[in-house]
Amino acid sequence: MKRPKWKKAEFEEIEYKPLNIKELLVEMKDISELIVDLAYSAVLFNSNEIGEEVRYLEVRMNKLNYQIRMMAMLAVRATDDAEKLAGILQIAEAAENISNAATGIVDLLSVKHSHPILPHLIRESDENLRPIEIYAKSSACDKDIATLNIGSETGVRIIAIRRGKDWIYGPGKTTVLKAGDMIIGRGPDSGLQTLKDFLKGKIEVLE
Amino acid sequence: MKRPKWKKAEFEEIEYKPLNIKELLVEMKDISELIVDLAYSAVLFNSNEIGEEVRYLEVRMNKLNYQIRMMAMLAVRATDDAEKLAGILQIAEAAENISNAATGIVDLLSVKHSHPILPHLIRESDENLRPIEIYAKSSACDKDIATLNIGSETGVRIIAIRRGKDWIYGPGKTTVLKAGDMIIGRGPDSGLQTLKDFLKGKIEVLE
């Protein structure tokens, strides 16, 4: 068994990189929204693959919270700054708490006896969330989302893309897909299956 | 100042009503997804109205968690049941933790000094979330969502409806709107404004 990606991420050294507080907070907000959906999906599909994405995001959230605290402390020059930044740190803390709670859902995947009942319990929405990897042989590589007509042909919205260690949340029509990307798609089961075949290069075009 | 709705809800006596564990868990999952979005929206729009919906949902979440624990304990007859139900209680607990963390974001609304910076910080999505009340004089009353063409005319999706003390999460095309409903709409600002005028009876038809 290969070592899960999030384990590697967890042990990377935390470095303080000067970033923008706004960018950090936007990413934390985006992660906290995505991670809740992903965590439920992991349990409903009994999917370690989705569970791994949740843990990966949680590790990233910890790092972002560390960075935003560093940024905030360095930015304070006066009482007025401190008041504004305390509010920002409170949101950052809540975002991390949401992400920790979501990880608690995923912990169920490692409990052998408890989960078989869960998929039947709450999987009833006609929209699902699935991670799909893009293979180099797919004709989707190096094309943007609008050109590929993914939405109109499959009914799937791409809500996030993981590219190596980076995430793109809420990609737009002009976002270009790359070989090796992991997309998170939300849509009907049949559309997700078609998109999976397309992104793995099993079918040439979506139509 | 009138007493906020959630205060009343908080002090209502918690009663044990025999419900279905599945229904309870589905509602807890739905609330935990909705409450995160609403909490950020409350802070971004500096809106006590949205904040109040968050607190209302949080009180409801507490009650559901109490009920699901009761149900689970009463349902256990053997070790096998206990294992399955422990997993369900773990998800329920995580859902409540998510909701508590979301309420932590809304607490910022009562801190006078900290929030003015926040709207400018992270409000950049072109989609927003807004609660809109339906007035009795609106021609939307007693019609279903599909008949009104809300989606196609305004670009707004109705993601939840509060009707008195009850919530409808993810309403469908055949869901009928009633006077006094509070809908939660997600969509572009212009569409939300048009829908608001329609649901308050300021405009007669959407077109």
Side-chain angles (χ1 to χ4, degrees):
Chain A
M1 201 185 112
K2 68 175 188 180
R3 193 174 182 194
K5 281 188 291 287
W6 61 271
K7 281 268 182 189
K8 275 182 271 171
E10 196 165 23
F11 294 110
E12 272 165 29
E13 201 179 332
I14 292 178
E15 249 177 78
Y16 170 65
K17 288 179 206 148
L19 289 165
N20 178 317
I21 290 189
K22 176 179 167 171
E23 285 168 14
L24 291 170
L25 194 59
V26 169
E27 183 167 358
M28 293 180 81
K29 170 180 172 288
D30 287 342
I31 290 180
S32 67
E33 291 176 326
L34 177 61
I35 202 170
V36 171
D37 284 345
L38 279 178
Y40 286 117
S41 297
V43 172
L44 299 188
F45 294 104
N46 194 18
S47 161
N48 285 313
E49 188 185 15
I50 307 180
E52 205 175 284
E53 295 300 325
V54 169
R55 294 188 189 284
Y56 199 83
L57 283 170
E58 216 270 322
V59 169
R60 184 160 180 102
M61 184 69 110
N62 290 343
K63 287 189 186 174
L64 292 170
N65 205 9
Y66 174 84
Q67 286 183 328
I68 206 168
R69 283 194 198 114
M70 285 291 293
M71 286 291 297
M73 284 183 293
L74 290 168
V76 170
R77 295 280 176 273
T79 311
D80 201 44
D81 294 341
E83 278 170 346
K84 284 177 186 162
L85 290 162
I88 288 168
L89 290 187
Q90 188 172 334
I91 295 188
E93 195 63 29
E96 180 158 11
N97 289 342
I98 291 168
S99 134
N100 288 339
T103 313
I105 296 173
V106 171
D107 287 342
L108 271 181
L109 290 175
S110 58
V111 184
K112 281 286 166 257
H113 298 292
S114 67
H115 58 70
I117 199 185
L118 295 168
H120 311 287
L121 253 190
I122 53 178
R123 191 164 90 201
E124 49 181 24
S125 156
D126 52 19
E127 290 224 320
N128 292 315
L129 216 65
R130 289 286 182 94
I132 306 173
E133 194 183 335
I134 306 181
Y135 286 17
K137 66 180 175 183
S138 169
S139 55
C141 296
D142 304 315
K143 299 208 179 84
D144 66 41
I145 293 174
T147 306
L148 295 168
N149 293 322
I150 290 174
S152 54
E153 294 296 338
T154 64
V156 175
R157 271 186 310 134
I158 298 181
I159 60 173
I161 300 172
R162 181 163 60 71
R163 180 166 296 163
K165 291 199 294 180
D166 295 322
W167 284 82
I168 302 162
Y169 307 96
K173 289 177 180 175
T174 58
T175 306
V176 173
L177 301 181
K178 301 277 183 191
D181 283 358
M182 176 77 82
I183 67 126
I184 309 281
R186 183 198 287 280
D189 270 337
S190 59
L192 285 166
Q193 189 54 53
T194 306
L195 184 58
K196 191 168 181 173
D197 290 343
F198 177 57
L199 297 182
K200 291 197 182 299
K202 284 187 196 165
I203 55 177
E204 192 61 30
V205 282
L206 285 178
E207 57 185 9
Chain B
M1 199 185 111
K2 68 176 187 180
R3 192 175 184 194
K5 280 187 293 287
W6 61 271
K7 282 268 182 191
K8 275 183 271 170
E10 196 165 26
F11 295 111
E12 272 166 28
E13 200 178 333
I14 292 179
E15 249 177 78
Y16 170 67
K17 287 178 206 148
L19 289 165
N20 179 318
I21 289 189
K22 175 180 167 173
E23 284 168 15
L24 291 170
L25 194 59
V26 169
E27 183 166 358
M28 293 181 83
K29 170 180 172 288
D30 287 342
I31 290 180
S32 67
E33 292 176 325
L34 177 61
I35 202 171
V36 172
D37 283 346
L38 278 178
Y40 286 118
S41 297
V43 172
L44 299 189
F45 294 104
N46 194 18
S47 160
N48 284 313
E49 190 186 13
I50 307 180
E52 205 175 284
E53 294 301 324
V54 169
R55 294 188 190 284
Y56 199 83
L57 284 170
E58 215 270 323
V59 169
R60 184 159 181 101
M61 184 69 109
N62 289 344
K63 287 187 186 176
L64 292 170
N65 204 10
Y66 174 84
Q67 286 183 328
I68 206 168
R69 283 195 198 114
M70 286 291 293
M71 286 291 296
M73 285 182 292
L74 290 168
V76 170
R77 295 278 176 275
T79 312
D80 201 43
D81 294 341
E83 278 170 347
K84 284 177 186 164
L85 290 162
I88 287 167
L89 291 187
Q90 188 171 335
I91 295 188
E93 194 64 29
E96 179 158 11
N97 289 342
I98 290 169
S99 134
N100 288 339
T103 313
I105 295 173
V106 170
D107 287 342
L108 271 181
L109 290 175
S110 58
V111 184
K112 282 285 166 258
H113 299 292
S114 66
H115 57 70
I117 198 184
L118 294 167
H120 311 286
L121 253 189
I122 54 178
R123 192 163 91 202
E124 49 181 25
S125 156
D126 51 20
E127 289 224 319
N128 292 315
L129 217 65
R130 290 285 182 94
I132 306 174
E133 195 182 335
I134 306 181
Y135 286 18
K137 65 180 176 182
S138 169
S139 55
C141 296
D142 304 315
K143 299 207 179 83
D144 67 42
I145 293 174
T147 306
L148 295 168
N149 293 323
I150 290 175
S152 54
E153 294 297 338
T154 64
V156 175
R157 271 185 312 133
I158 298 179
I159 60 174
I161 300 172
R162 180 163 60 71
R163 181 167 295 162
K165 291 199 293 180
D166 295 323
W167 283 82
I168 301 161
Y169 307 96
K173 289 178 181 176
T174 58
T175 306
V176 173
L177 302 180
K178 301 276 184 190
D181 283 356
M182 176 77 81
I183 68 126
I184 309 281
R186 183 198 288 281
D189 270 337
S190 59
L192 285 165
Q193 189 54 53
T194 306
L195 184 59
K196 191 168 181 175
D197 290 343
F198 178 58
L199 297 181
K200 291 197 182 300
K202 284 186 195 165
I203 56 176
E204 192 60 32
V205 282
L206 284 178
E207 58 184 9

